[in-house]
Amino acid sequence: GERRQTRQARPRQPRAEMAALPFLQRQRPAADGGGGTWAEALAGLAPTTDELRNLAGPWGECLVAAVQYEHDVPNWDRDPDYRRNGPAGQVIESMIRAGHRQMEPAADRLENATQKALRRTGLQPGPSAPTAWQAAIAAASGAAVVAVPRAEQPGWGAGR
């Protein structure tokens, strides 16, 4: 018979397909932009990278949350929701299903850097820190993520 091409005609991932991945149904921390599920936050968003070529933005924040979950929850791999694919794998799988396979290397870089940091010192700010860590670092310190314009930072502006 004739082959239908409806799959290729839809570049955005349907919410129902994203919903099939349990990690994406977890609530997004308020510090990451205000509640809702990760699936809701990511629906229709294209992933981005930071200057270090790590996955960034909401997709990066979701991947960091997934890696933290794997690090912090003992025996997560025994959970039936994660038998086929773990939390971080589900985030990457969802990104690929949404048509962003080209971002997989950036996701792998972020996943590896986050795993390494969590095994050692935890997520720390600094020039080599992926931007996707900012929300997690702020949440851990109890602070909100607020961008302060350079002119308002101490040591800048009037009198210099």
Side-chain angles (χ1 to χ4, degrees), residues 23-24 28-29 32 38 42 47-48 53-71 85-95 103-115 118 123 130 132-133 136:
F23 186 81
L24 282 94
R28 184 177 187 210
D32 282 346
W38 282 112
L42 299 174
T48 59
R53 299 184 356 253
N54 290 295
L55 190 64
W59 280 100
E61 292 167 13
C62 182
L63 183 57
V64 169
V67 174
Q68 285 182 303
Y69 182 89
E70 291 175 358
H71 181 264
N85 204 353
Q90 289 183 11
V91 175
I92 295 171
E93 176 183 350
S94 178
M95 186 184 69
M103 299 299 278
E104 190 174 5
D108 290 341
R109 262 190 298 283
L110 178 61
E111 181 181 12
N112 293 333
T114 304
Q115 288 170 340
L118 290 172
L123 305 182
W133 290 0

Side-chain angles (χ1 to χ4, degrees), residues 77-146:
D77 53 340
R78 292 189 187 152
D79 184 327
D81 283 345
Y82 303 124
R83 281 221 177 94
R84 192 182 67 76
N85 204 353
Q90 289 183 11
V91 175
I92 295 171
E93 176 183 350
S94 178
M95 186 184 69
I96 291 169
R97 284 187 191 175
H100 304 292
R101 181 176 294 280
Q102 77 281 7
M103 299 299 278
E104 190 174 5
D108 290 341
R109 262 190 298 283
L110 178 61
E111 181 181 12
N112 293 333
T114 304
Q115 288 170 340
K116 185 176 177 182
L118 290 172
R119 282 193 306 268
R120 293 181 176 179
T121 60
L123 305 182
Q124 302 290 326
S128 64
T131 60
W133 290 0
Q134 290 173 353
I137 291 168
S141 70
V145 180
V146 179

